[in-house]
Amino acid sequence: MESGPAIFAGVVFALFGGSLLVWTATRVRRGEPVAHGVNPVASATLASLASVIALALGAWCFTRV
């Protein structure tokens, strides 16, 4: 019963992190800005870091099942 919230949170974090990582990689590959009005390198780095953190949180949630 207690593993249900951990599974849900893990799936949410994994989907968000994976989607953000794919979106950021696609934008960088096409040469399009990740965030308007921000340094392209800084925005791509910050988005990549956020996606890796979300994926790590998802993996951590799955270890708590």
Side-chain angles (χ1 to χ4, degrees):
M1 184 61 107
E2 294 177 1
S3 64
I7 293 170
F8 177 75
V11 168
V12 169
F13 279 125
L15 285 175
F16 174 74
S19 299
L20 183 60
L21 189 60
V22 168
W23 181 80
T24 303
T26 302
R27 298 289 287 190
V28 168
R29 184 174 295 155
R30 291 182 180 178
E32 298 174 352
V34 176
H36 293 287
V38 183
N39 182 357
V41 175
S43 62
T45 303
L46 186 61
S48 298
L49 182 64
S51 65
V52 169
I53 289 172
L55 286 171
L57 283 172
W60 180 77
C61 287
F62 286 134
T63 62
R64 300 296 171 196
V65 172

